[in-house]
Amino acid sequence: MRWNMRLVAAQRGIWKASELQQVFAEHGLVISAGKMSGLWSGQPVTIKLADLDVICVALDCQVGDLLIAEPDTVSRSTPDAAKPAADATAPVPITRVVPRRRDGRSLPPR
């Protein structure tokens, strides 16, 4: 996903983060300078859905205007048809679980 709030704000004639911060405050969303910087200059790490609602109302836009999907950046797995079929009659190897102490010390010999 790509965060597109700065372009949406520019389309509304808002060119500074402080101006947008004031518009948000008028709609009841008080944002700290640090969080506003993240929203304005890059991609936010997290955003509350309630805050996203206020941002959409303040900018008179839809969520799809703010978040642009980038499906080409996601690696896709190969289709199941391309994977070799597992032999149903092949025995399943049994692995032995070796207990270990949590403090990193070895267990006494058996």
Side-chain angles (χ1 to χ4, degrees):
M1 292 297 234
R2 184 182 65 205
W3 183 242
N4 201 34
M5 187 186 72
R6 195 169 183 170
L7 179 62
V8 173
Q11 291 169 342
R12 275 54 173 185
I14 301 171
W15 299 99
K16 295 181 180 177
S18 58
E19 293 173 21
L20 188 56
Q21 190 174 14
Q22 181 61 39
V23 171
F24 290 163
E26 291 169 3
H27 286 85
L29 179 60
V30 178
I31 297 181
S32 69
K35 185 170 181 177
M36 189 65 208
S37 175
L39 290 173
W40 184 258
S41 63
Q43 186 150 331
V45 176
T46 61
I47 188 163
K48 293 180 184 176
L49 294 178
D51 293 351
L52 195 55
D53 279 336
V54 174
I55 291 170
C56 287
V57 169
L59 291 174
D60 189 29
C61 67
Q62 299 294 318
V63 174
D65 298 328
L66 297 172
L67 294 169
I68 307 298
E70 294 181 320
D72 296 337
T73 61
V74 178
S75 62
R76 300 184 188 270
S77 63
T78 58
D80 290 338
K83 294 180 183 176
D87 185 7
T89 60
V92 177
I94 298 174
T95 57
R96 183 171 171 220
V97 177
V98 179
R100 297 183 188 254
R101 292 175 51 141
R102 291 184 179 197
D103 61 3
R105 297 179 66 189
S106 64
L107 292 172
R110 292 184 186 212

